[in-house]
Amino acid sequence: MELVNRPRRLRKHAVLRKMVRETRMDKSSLVYPMFLMEGSNLKEEIPSMPGQYRYSVDRMEEQLIKLQDAGVSSVMFFGIPSQKDELGSGAYDEDGIVQKAFRKAKEACPELYLMGDVCMCEYTSHGHCGVLQGQEVENDKTLELLAKTALSQVQAGADLVAPSDMMDGRVSAIRRMLDRHGYETVPIMSYAVKFASSFYGPFRDAAGSAPAFGDRKSYQMDYHNRREALKEAMLDVEEGADIIMVKPAMAYGDLIREVKDRTTIPIASYSVSGEYAMVKAASQAGWMDEAGVLCEMATSAYRAGTDIYLTYFAMELAKYMDEGRIG
Ligand code: PBG
């Protein structure tokens, strides 16, 4: 048969296949999310996320060192306080769980890049991401508390803050607060395009942060919307975000690509707890090959335009990148 174009020619040899790969990844772009809890000598497995743990601050170091050894150079901290209240005061307490974790991590692993998730839902008794007025989350009152939370994390040692609450105007509120205290060089990575998603289920289990009533649809985005995703991204760029995130990652590759093409700042995507749980459950049942699936998921996020990838599989991916399986 006379065929001029045979795409298979480029697939025949493993060396050439690698040479013509279009998506290149590097483990320096991986961020590992970690849950920290009060108490001592605790490492509790999260039931809905097998292989992931909540650590007390005195036990976190072993995990940080393992990550560094694997070549993962950044972590994102989530705090699980022992007490919650209406105003989520544990979020901005100088001696709060995440603040203690930052101080300890800075001292134990000074080379690690430390990111702080800035939100109220792990700290409020009602589980919503802000202050309530009746049954509603009050946007403008919450901004003040978010800014205080970001500042307290930075003062404790966070290198970057990442607001995930989806209040309007939080990026500028945080930027102003940080600048006023001399932290004008600390970047903000905004969870700009964050959807009200069932994929967060296992996280809420891990952090005990499910809302006590209602849902998050009045502040997180409706997943039917594409133009609104661009609006959210643009607004955060205008407010001074340094990096913007799309979350979840797996079902939202179209938006990662679009936000990437329409902005000029780096794009992060977050492969969330539900993505992790699905892969784990199916591979534990013997229904899918875990390594194969997570390599494919990660590559699709990068192919869509991800620069920074947050994932509970960071350590595994670093290994597969080293082995040349992906990357
Ligand atoms: C806090 C926050 C959540 C996640 C990251 N930051 C939960 C939520 O919005 O309900 C989800 C992360 C994950 O599922 O892995 N607001």
Side-chain angles (χ1 to χ4, degrees):
M1 173 134 177
E2 216 180 290
L3 256 185
V4 177
N5 284 307
R6 289 183 186 272
R8 289 185 53 194
R9 284 186 206 117
L10 295 178
R11 297 181 201 136
K12 190 172 159 191
H13 198 291
V15 170
L16 187 57
R17 274 202 301 276
K18 249 189 200 167
M19 282 179 169
V20 300
R21 266 182 183 173
E22 297 176 41
T23 305
R24 301 283 177 174
M25 291 159 271
D26 191 285
K27 58 189 180 178
S28 63
S29 62
L30 296 167
V31 181
Y32 180 71
M34 247 176 109
F35 300 97
L36 288 317
M37 66 193 292
E38 296 282 1
S40 59
N41 197 24
L42 297 171
K43 180 183 173 184
E44 282 178 11
E45 191 164 28
I46 300 162
S48 53
M49 300 176 75
Q52 300 301 315
Y53 300 83
R54 306 179 188 102
Y55 298 88
S56 56
V57 171
D58 59 348
R59 287 290 298 275
M60 103 193 140
E61 192 173 338
E62 60 190 59
Q63 180 70 357
L64 297 181
I65 289 169
K66 269 195 219 155
L67 287 160
Q68 270 190 313
D69 289 347
V72 177
S73 47
S74 182
V75 289
M76 165 85 85
F77 281 172
F78 293 91
I80 307 169
S82 48
Q83 290 191 7
K84 307 186 186 221
D85 59 33
E86 283 279 304
L87 295 177
S89 56
Y92 41 90
D93 179 352
E94 199 185 310
D95 251 326
I97 176 64
V98 101
Q99 288 78 3
K100 283 191 275 203
F102 280 126
R103 281 197 288 272
K104 172 86 193 190
K106 258 284 160 251
E107 180 196 303
C109 300
E111 262 121 70
L112 263 186
Y113 193 76
L114 307 179
M115 301 184 171
D117 179 272
V118 174
C119 194
M120 313 298 298
C121 63
E122 298 110 87
Y123 303 91
T124 51
S125 42
H126 44 76
H128 278 288
C129 301
V131 188
L132 292 185
Q133 172 80 283
Q135 302 271 91
E136 292 279 315
V137 175
E138 257 220 79
N139 193 86
D140 299 14
K141 277 220 179 99
T142 303
L143 295 183
E144 222 175 286
L145 302 184
L146 291 167
K148 268 168 80 169
T149 302
L151 178 64
S152 75
Q153 291 188 0
V154 171
Q155 284 171 334
D159 295 299
L160 169 153
V161 284
S164 70
D165 51 282
M166 287 300 277
M167 297 301 120
D168 295 329
R170 79 277 172 77
V171 173
S172 48
I174 292 172
R175 185 71 276 155
R176 258 180 285 147
M177 177 69 104
L178 294 181
D179 290 0
R180 212 176 332 125
H181 288 82
Y183 296 111
E184 53 281 286
T185 59
V186 171
I188 298 175
M189 175 166 78
S190 171
Y191 289 67
V193 183
K194 176 172 174 177
F195 290 92
S197 170
S198 296
F199 282 103
Y200 309 149
F203 173 96
R204 293 180 188 169
D205 194 26
S209 65
F213 63 89
D215 52 39
R216 303 209 200 291
K217 289 182 179 158
S218 72
Y219 42 103
Q220 297 181 349
M221 283 185 57
D222 177 350
Y223 55 74
H224 297 76
N225 296 354
R226 182 187 134 247
R227 297 172 71 239
E228 191 188 8
L230 294 172
K231 174 168 107 181
E232 282 284 6
M234 305 294 195
L235 282 173
D236 283 6
V237 170
E238 281 165 27
E239 286 179 36
D242 300 281
I243 300 166
I244 41 184
M245 189 198 293
V246 175
K247 175 185 172 199
M250 191 167 62
Y252 297 87
D254 55 334
L255 297 175
I256 298 173
R257 167 51 55 201
E258 242 176 307
V259 171
K260 177 75 175 229
D261 287 347
R262 305 271 200 108
T263 56
T264 55
I265 64 174
I267 307 297
S269 67
Y270 193 150
S271 177
V272 298
S273 56
E275 300 178 38
Y276 178 88
M278 287 196 304
V279 174
K280 275 287 169 193
S283 57
Q284 283 181 350
W287 297 336
M288 281 196 315
D289 169 42
E290 178 178 306
V293 169
L294 71 94
C295 284
E296 227 172 293
M297 277 166 60
T299 304
S300 84
Y302 285 97
R303 195 179 61 231
T306 294
D307 298 297
I308 298 172
Y309 191 49
L310 293 95
T311 171
Y312 302 96
F313 283 121
M315 205 128 54
E316 289 83 345
L317 284 170
K319 179 166 154 264
Y320 302 141
M321 288 177 186
D322 278 343
E323 292 168 359
R325 184 170 178 152
I326 52 168

